[in-house]
Amino acid sequence: MADNSLQENRLSLARASLREALARYSHLRQGKKNSNNTELEAALQYQLDILTSTSEKLDHNIIRIATFGLVSRGKSAVLNALLGHKILQTGPLNGVTQWPRSVRWSVPLSFLDSEESPQSPLGKGGKGGVQVELIDTPGLDEVGGEVRGEMAKQVTRQADLILFVVAGDITRTEYQALCELQTAQKPVILVFNKIDLYPELDRKAIYQSLQALGNSEELAAAAVTEQTDSENLSDRPNNPSDQSTAKSPPKIAKSLEIVMVAAEPAPVQVRVEWSDGRVTNEWESPPPQIDELKHKILTILNREGRSLLALNALVEARDAEANIARHVLKLRQTEAEDLIWQFAKYKALAVGLNPVAFLDVMGASVADLALIRSLSRLYGLPMTGYEAGKLWQTIFSSAGGVLLGELGSSFLLGFGKSAAAAAPHIGFSTFAGVAVTQASLAAYGTYAVGRAAQVYLEKGCTWGPLGQDTVIQEILATIERNTIIDRLQQEFKIGN
């Protein structure tokens, strides 16, 4: 189990990173319109809201567990069994759950006492305590697919742990949905529900086929049932060209955990003998078989819950920052173009008229650094001189051919221009020709630097000491072996 102080340190780093991000965009959150483009303004505000809500979630130590699955798999029943009460509506009809619903989970003390650590943070209030929310979602295959799909993306983004509920052999639609969910790089527990409806041998066979999903693409393809399904390939025309270009099914991660439950067992008939000698048959609902899933969830949360919370918040904030920067760039596009061309014009003029070769090169570099800092101020992304220098080095290394050509040519042409200026008999036309060529190269180099700086600034301020990328890498470097985060890191390269 991760040391509690280590997990708290990770949370503290994540909180500091998000607070710095919120402070960075405080000028955008003051409710003042930044342009007349209402669509871009709304998109920008949405990303700012995501950044704010993520910071609040982190401050309140809220771990969210979301359920996904097709209709009638028993998602609501699984959550009710975890809660110990029938809070979420269930029923025999498909699509009882129409919208995501969040419910606070008060973890039973009996389970807390049985966990590995006597210092478990779960169920505690106040500083250091972790709160758990369970999120119920509509079936992924219900009517209104686009709306449901967007809803699923939003819930997945907020979740720290995902429960994917099936009720037997996995269908192709479920397989594809599970693959899509795993691209979010969140821990997934595959919950095999309604095991009470299967004989022991069938139950074991289904469990083994689910285990095969993470072993190889061939086994995964074989594990997908051919039963009636809207995505079943057998319903399609037999087209040889389709077969030749068909892609193999995506691979399920080996980090997938599988748990068998009976969240709402079917009623069974029992024989009742009364004291007066009467014998009747009554229908009785057995208790849920949910303890294994409870133990699995609580073991994960106690062992690495706060680390998951910190990493997920950082990844969510990093994506939000990148989107914010992208929207800001669009809002400031015209002003940025004017600024780049203004610097290009002045740099060309200064370099062209300056007769000293060494000063040409130095002045060109200083002008490029000033352009980078001016662009960062225009976009509201504050940057120190040191950071601008580091960014310039990065731009130089990636666009080195263009910029090295500019600097080299500027240096050589500068000597030629200096020689022309020192020897009046060479003529003013020679000096002017060299100056025009050098000025053109300088202007083009500045434009290249400006465009490259826009690309790097679009990524937001994730590269600084408390930037999300930096903190994510610091946390991943200290993750314990054989944890879910460690397995996710190896399989998905999270943080890259």
mmCIF file of all heavy atoms in Angstrom, residues 436-459:
data_model
loop_
_atom_site.group_PDB
_atom_site.id
_atom_site.type_symbol
_atom_site.label_atom_id
_atom_site.label_comp_id
_atom_site.label_asym_id
_atom_site.label_seq_id
_atom_site.Cartn_x
_atom_site.Cartn_y
_atom_site.Cartn_z
ATOM 1 N N VAL A 436 18.689 44.386 -48.302
ATOM 2 C CA VAL A 436 17.338 43.907 -48.635
ATOM 3 C C VAL A 436 17.253 42.387 -48.484
ATOM 4 O O VAL A 436 16.276 41.849 -47.934
ATOM 5 C CB VAL A 436 16.960 44.340 -50.065
ATOM 6 C CG1 VAL A 436 15.691 43.635 -50.519
ATOM 7 C CG2 VAL A 436 16.763 45.851 -50.135
ATOM 8 N N THR A 437 18.274 41.698 -48.966
ATOM 9 C CA THR A 437 18.284 40.226 -48.836
ATOM 10 C C THR A 437 18.291 39.810 -47.372
ATOM 11 O O THR A 437 17.546 38.913 -46.942
ATOM 12 C CB THR A 437 19.523 39.640 -49.543
ATOM 13 O OG1 THR A 437 19.520 40.064 -50.911
ATOM 14 C CG2 THR A 437 19.524 38.125 -49.465
ATOM 15 N N GLN A 438 19.146 40.478 -46.591
ATOM 16 C CA GLN A 438 19.240 40.146 -45.164
ATOM 17 C C GLN A 438 17.935 40.473 -44.444
ATOM 18 O O GLN A 438 17.477 39.710 -43.583
ATOM 19 C CB GLN A 438 20.404 40.913 -44.536
ATOM 20 C CG GLN A 438 20.747 40.455 -43.124
ATOM 21 C CD GLN A 438 21.870 41.276 -42.527
ATOM 22 O OE1 GLN A 438 22.133 42.399 -42.981
ATOM 23 N NE2 GLN A 438 22.533 40.738 -41.514
ATOM 24 N N ALA A 439 17.309 41.597 -44.784
ATOM 25 C CA ALA A 439 16.048 41.985 -44.150
ATOM 26 C C ALA A 439 14.939 40.998 -44.473
ATOM 27 O O ALA A 439 14.115 40.654 -43.616
ATOM 28 C CB ALA A 439 15.660 43.393 -44.605
ATOM 29 N N SER A 440 14.923 40.507 -45.717
ATOM 30 C CA SER A 440 13.903 39.529 -46.112
ATOM 31 C C SER A 440 14.050 38.235 -45.327
ATOM 32 O O SER A 440 13.066 37.656 -44.854
ATOM 33 C CB SER A 440 14.011 39.250 -47.614
ATOM 34 O OG SER A 440 13.812 40.435 -48.365
ATOM 35 N N LEU A 441 15.296 37.779 -45.198
ATOM 36 C CA LEU A 441 15.542 36.566 -44.405
ATOM 37 C C LEU A 441 15.144 36.776 -42.948
ATOM 38 O O LEU A 441 14.571 35.880 -42.305
ATOM 39 C CB LEU A 441 17.021 36.177 -44.498
ATOM 40 C CG LEU A 441 17.474 35.536 -45.815
ATOM 41 C CD1 LEU A 441 18.995 35.416 -45.847
ATOM 42 C CD2 LEU A 441 16.834 34.161 -45.991
ATOM 43 N N ALA A 442 15.443 37.942 -42.404
ATOM 44 C CA ALA A 442 15.107 38.225 -41.006
ATOM 45 C C ALA A 442 13.604 38.238 -40.804
ATOM 46 O O ALA A 442 13.083 37.703 -39.811
ATOM 47 C CB ALA A 442 15.714 39.566 -40.595
ATOM 48 N N ALA A 443 12.875 38.843 -41.748
ATOM 49 C CA ALA A 443 11.413 38.901 -41.636
ATOM 50 C C ALA A 443 10.809 37.510 -41.705
ATOM 51 O O ALA A 443 9.920 37.163 -40.924
ATOM 52 C CB ALA A 443 10.845 39.779 -42.745
ATOM 53 N N TYR A 444 11.333 36.704 -42.642
ATOM 54 C CA TYR A 444 10.800 35.339 -42.749
ATOM 55 C C TYR A 444 11.107 34.523 -41.498
ATOM 56 O O TYR A 444 10.281 33.750 -41.020
ATOM 57 C CB TYR A 444 11.378 34.644 -43.979
ATOM 58 C CG TYR A 444 10.844 33.243 -44.159
ATOM 59 C CD1 TYR A 444 9.552 33.011 -44.608
ATOM 60 C CD2 TYR A 444 11.633 32.132 -43.832
ATOM 61 C CE1 TYR A 444 9.057 31.731 -44.750
ATOM 62 C CE2 TYR A 444 11.153 30.844 -43.963
ATOM 63 C CZ TYR A 444 9.859 30.651 -44.430
ATOM 64 O OH TYR A 444 9.372 29.385 -44.556
ATOM 65 N N GLY A 445 12.330 34.704 -40.953
ATOM 66 C CA GLY A 445 12.685 33.989 -39.719
ATOM 67 C C GLY A 445 11.784 34.368 -38.568
ATOM 68 O O GLY A 445 11.365 33.517 -37.774
ATOM 69 N N THR A 446 11.461 35.653 -38.440
ATOM 70 C CA THR A 446 10.557 36.097 -37.372
ATOM 71 C C THR A 446 9.163 35.511 -37.544
ATOM 72 O O THR A 446 8.523 35.085 -36.577
ATOM 73 C CB THR A 446 10.474 37.632 -37.356
ATOM 74 O OG1 THR A 446 11.764 38.152 -37.041
ATOM 75 C CG2 THR A 446 9.478 38.118 -36.315
ATOM 76 N N TYR A 447 8.685 35.467 -38.784
ATOM 77 C CA TYR A 447 7.361 34.882 -39.033
ATOM 78 C C TYR A 447 7.361 33.401 -38.654
ATOM 79 O O TYR A 447 6.411 32.906 -38.036
ATOM 80 C CB TYR A 447 6.998 35.043 -40.506
ATOM 81 C CG TYR A 447 5.639 34.480 -40.843
ATOM 82 C CD1 TYR A 447 4.472 35.174 -40.498
ATOM 83 C CD2 TYR A 447 5.510 33.264 -41.487
ATOM 84 C CE1 TYR A 447 3.220 34.654 -40.787
ATOM 85 C CE2 TYR A 447 4.261 32.740 -41.779
ATOM 86 C CZ TYR A 447 3.126 33.433 -41.439
ATOM 87 O OH TYR A 447 1.883 32.908 -41.715
ATOM 88 N N ALA A 448 8.453 32.690 -38.990
ATOM 89 C CA ALA A 448 8.550 31.265 -38.646
ATOM 90 C C ALA A 448 8.555 31.076 -37.131
ATOM 91 O O ALA A 448 7.892 30.177 -36.594
ATOM 92 C CB ALA A 448 9.810 30.659 -39.262
ATOM 93 N N VAL A 449 9.305 31.927 -36.412
ATOM 94 C CA VAL A 449 9.338 31.847 -34.951
ATOM 95 C C VAL A 449 7.963 32.131 -34.369
ATOM 96 O O VAL A 449 7.492 31.443 -33.454
ATOM 97 C CB VAL A 449 10.378 32.837 -34.380
ATOM 98 C CG1 VAL A 449 10.218 32.980 -32.867
ATOM 99 C CG2 VAL A 449 11.778 32.372 -34.707
ATOM 100 N N GLY A 450 7.268 33.153 -34.891
ATOM 101 C CA GLY A 450 5.943 33.502 -34.393
ATOM 102 C C GLY A 450 4.947 32.385 -34.578
ATOM 103 O O GLY A 450 4.190 32.055 -33.660
ATOM 104 N N ARG A 451 4.948 31.760 -35.766
ATOM 105 C CA ARG A 451 4.019 30.666 -36.018
ATOM 106 C C ARG A 451 4.340 29.458 -35.132
ATOM 107 O O ARG A 451 3.439 28.802 -34.603
ATOM 108 C CB ARG A 451 4.068 30.255 -37.489
ATOM 109 C CG ARG A 451 3.659 31.356 -38.451
ATOM 110 C CD ARG A 451 2.205 31.766 -38.268
ATOM 111 N NE ARG A 451 1.289 30.702 -38.631
ATOM 112 C CZ ARG A 451 -0.029 30.762 -38.478
ATOM 113 N NH1 ARG A 451 -0.569 31.853 -37.939
ATOM 114 N NH2 ARG A 451 -0.788 29.768 -38.830
ATOM 115 N N ALA A 452 5.631 29.158 -34.979
ATOM 116 C CA ALA A 452 6.020 28.034 -34.119
ATOM 117 C C ALA A 452 5.658 28.309 -32.665
ATOM 118 O O ALA A 452 5.211 27.413 -31.933
ATOM 119 C CB ALA A 452 7.520 27.769 -34.252
ATOM 120 N N ALA A 453 5.835 29.562 -32.241
ATOM 121 C CA ALA A 453 5.486 29.923 -30.860
ATOM 122 C C ALA A 453 3.995 29.741 -30.628
ATOM 123 O O ALA A 453 3.575 29.303 -29.543
ATOM 124 C CB ALA A 453 5.896 31.366 -30.575
ATOM 125 N N GLN A 454 3.174 30.047 -31.625
ATOM 126 C CA GLN A 454 1.734 29.850 -31.488
ATOM 127 C C GLN A 454 1.406 28.378 -31.250
ATOM 128 O O GLN A 454 0.552 28.039 -30.428
ATOM 129 C CB GLN A 454 1.014 30.351 -32.742
ATOM 130 C CG GLN A 454 0.919 31.863 -32.845
ATOM 131 C CD GLN A 454 0.190 32.287 -34.100
ATOM 132 O OE1 GLN A 454 0.589 31.950 -35.204
ATOM 133 N NE2 GLN A 454 -0.893 33.014 -33.926
ATOM 134 N N VAL A 455 2.087 27.507 -31.983
ATOM 135 C CA VAL A 455 1.850 26.062 -31.828
ATOM 136 C C VAL A 455 2.188 25.614 -30.416
ATOM 137 O O VAL A 455 1.443 24.864 -29.772
ATOM 138 C CB VAL A 455 2.674 25.266 -32.860
ATOM 139 C CG1 VAL A 455 2.570 23.769 -32.594
ATOM 140 C CG2 VAL A 455 2.208 25.590 -34.273
ATOM 141 N N TYR A 456 3.325 26.074 -29.888
ATOM 142 C CA TYR A 456 3.734 25.666 -28.549
ATOM 143 C C TYR A 456 2.866 26.316 -27.470
ATOM 144 O O TYR A 456 2.528 25.676 -26.463
ATOM 145 C CB TYR A 456 5.206 25.992 -28.313
ATOM 146 C CG TYR A 456 6.137 25.010 -28.973
ATOM 147 C CD1 TYR A 456 6.654 25.267 -30.238
ATOM 148 C CD2 TYR A 456 6.478 23.813 -28.366
ATOM 149 C CE1 TYR A 456 7.501 24.362 -30.866
ATOM 150 C CE2 TYR A 456 7.306 22.899 -28.980
ATOM 151 C CZ TYR A 456 7.819 23.175 -30.230
ATOM 152 O OH TYR A 456 8.641 22.276 -30.853
ATOM 153 N N LEU A 457 2.490 27.559 -27.678
ATOM 154 C CA LEU A 457 1.622 28.220 -26.701
ATOM 155 C C LEU A 457 0.235 27.601 -26.679
ATOM 156 O O LEU A 457 -0.462 27.656 -25.670
ATOM 157 C CB LEU A 457 1.526 29.713 -27.027
ATOM 158 C CG LEU A 457 2.785 30.540 -26.745
ATOM 159 C CD1 LEU A 457 2.651 31.937 -27.346
ATOM 160 C CD2 LEU A 457 3.050 30.637 -25.255
ATOM 161 N N GLU A 458 -0.166 26.983 -27.794
ATOM 162 C CA GLU A 458 -1.479 26.340 -27.857
ATOM 163 C C GLU A 458 -1.578 25.181 -26.874
ATOM 164 O O GLU A 458 -2.658 24.770 -26.469
ATOM 165 C CB GLU A 458 -1.745 25.841 -29.274
ATOM 166 C CG GLU A 458 -3.155 25.319 -29.491
ATOM 167 C CD GLU A 458 -3.417 24.949 -30.939
ATOM 168 O OE1 GLU A 458 -2.717 25.492 -31.824
ATOM 169 O OE2 GLU A 458 -4.308 24.136 -31.188
ATOM 170 N N LYS A 459 -0.441 24.639 -26.487
ATOM 171 C CA LYS A 459 -0.442 23.542 -25.524
ATOM 172 C C LYS A 459 -0.686 24.033 -24.103
ATOM 173 O O LYS A 459 -0.758 23.241 -23.168
ATOM 174 C CB LYS A 459 0.889 22.787 -25.574
ATOM 175 C CG LYS A 459 1.149 22.111 -26.908
ATOM 176 C CD LYS A 459 2.476 21.394 -26.894
ATOM 177 C CE LYS A 459 2.751 20.718 -28.236
ATOM 178 N NZ LYS A 459 4.051 20.027 -28.250
#
